[in-house]
Amino acid sequence: MSVPNAIERVLLDEETIAVRVRELAAQISADYADSDGLVLVGVLKGAFIFMADLARRLQVAHHVDFIALSSYNRGTTSTGAVRLIMDTRASVAGRHVLVIEDILDTGYTLDYLVRTFRARNPASLRTCILISKPERRQVEVQVDYLGFEIPNEWVVGYGLDYADRFRTLPYIGVLKREVYK
Ligand code: PRP
């Protein structure tokens, strides 16, 4: 597949992502092997591709559900305020919940998610993140499964966007600075 002009370089190619997703799925499957199943909660929009690939590799029974959030003032004077746009369809009370995110940046979104779900009395709560940018962290958050740590660059593809573009690139690429500066 050709690389769009807006992409400076491919950071994580399809094969690298696929190998790591298989490893994560194996780890999660082993960890939940003795459970009666779990509910995967994908955070829209970004998590939809990662979650689809991960879920199809799991060897444990699971349901899928989704939640959509929006944050205020991202990238400016962020206060970390997060707004719930769409909640999960089913209740998570008494269930083993695994929150699936594409990227962990400041941490405000995941912090909100963990606090929100904890208050709903799940049987257990863990998080699975594909990409983390540790340099950007503003709050400490619970990360149970992590795909990759990357430097502080704007990445797109495999669910990640810039202005809602590039989400369906099959790899993760670094956006050219001139595109978003
Ligand atoms: C991204 C990502 C996380 C959040 C992480 O979502 O999917 O939900 O940002 O950032 P944080 O750690 O600074 O809170 P985004 O708001 O870009 O929405 P999208 O998933 O619809 O693209």
Side-chain angles (χ1 to χ4, degrees), residues 69-88:
L69 306 171
S70 151
S71 51
Y72 297 100
N73 302 324
R74 162 95 22 99
T76 56
T77 55
S78 178
T79 60
V82 174
R83 186 162 55 107
L84 184 63
I85 306 282
M86 186 195 82
D87 209 340
T88 58

Side-chain angles (χ1 to χ4, degrees), residues 43-67:
V43 185
L44 296 173
K45 296 182 189 175
F48 80 113
I49 290 176
F50 175 41
M51 179 160 157
D53 284 350
L54 184 75
R56 286 179 293 174
R57 295 280 176 188
L58 289 181
Q59 302 289 322
V60 284
H62 58 273
H63 291 178
V64 295
D65 211 326
F66 295 93
I67 193 167

